[in-house]
Amino acid sequence: MFKRGRSVLVDMDISELQFNALLCIREYGPLTMGDLCKNLYVACSTATDLADRMEFAGLVERVRAEKDRRVVALHLLPRGNEALDAVIAERQKFISEIIKDYTDAEYEELSRSSKLLAEKMELVEV
């Protein structure tokens, strides 16, 4: 599923690390470089280079905080959101293709197992 969804990124010239950064920004909101480092588990220099490339590609923009101009956060731009939406749509299409021939019993089992997995995952501290 991940491979199929990220195949969309090749046409958009977006790397997996850039995609992961976009996901983090969408999930947590605008991120400082330090927050991006923590979420991606990369060195600050790597995050800075990544931000430079994403900004140049029109995926994000750097915005200075109004209260403290030293603080700079990455904000998603429309092209970044479009990339994320395209990958999600491709993943949904892929899953739909896989389960289209499921019987009602198989679909119910998948639904039950997915809910159970989600409940167990919520209990795990990260």
Side-chain angles (χ1 to χ4, degrees):
M1 180 176 72
F2 291 114
K3 186 176 181 182
R4 176 87 175 258
R6 290 186 180 174
S7 67
V8 172
L9 299 175
V10 173
D11 295 334
M12 301 177 102
D13 198 28
I14 297 172
S15 72
E16 282 194 39
L17 188 56
Q18 289 173 333
F19 175 76
N20 290 337
L22 294 173
L23 277 176
C24 288
I25 296 168
R26 180 183 268 183
E27 183 173 345
Y28 301 114
L31 295 177
T32 64
M33 297 310 297
D35 292 334
L36 188 62
C37 295
K38 291 175 190 171
N39 282 292
L40 295 178
Y41 304 101
V42 297
C44 288
S45 59
T46 302
T48 300
D49 290 343
L50 177 67
D52 289 343
R53 289 191 308 275
M54 291 192 315
E55 188 173 36
F56 181 76
L59 300 168
V60 299
E61 68 178 339
R62 287 180 167 103
V63 177
R64 291 193 179 277
E66 289 185 24
K67 292 184 179 182
D68 186 345
R69 304 285 295 155
R70 295 171 297 176
V71 177
V72 177
L74 294 176
H75 291 246
L76 275 180
L77 290 175
R79 183 166 185 266
N81 272 312
E82 289 168 10
L84 291 170
D85 291 342
V87 170
I88 291 167
E90 183 62 29
R91 287 178 179 175
Q92 290 171 336
K93 179 182 164 191
F94 179 66
I95 290 171
S96 294
E97 289 171 11
I98 299 297
I99 67 172
K100 72 180 179 188
D101 295 326
Y102 271 30
T103 65
D104 287 345
E106 288 171 328
Y107 182 77
E108 289 300 320
E109 179 63 22
L110 175 64
S111 179
R112 187 188 67 72
S113 295
S114 296
K115 288 176 187 173
L116 180 62
L117 178 62
E119 289 171 8
K120 299 256 183 196
M121 289 172 69
E122 286 179 15
L123 297 176
V124 176
E125 232 178 272
V126 179

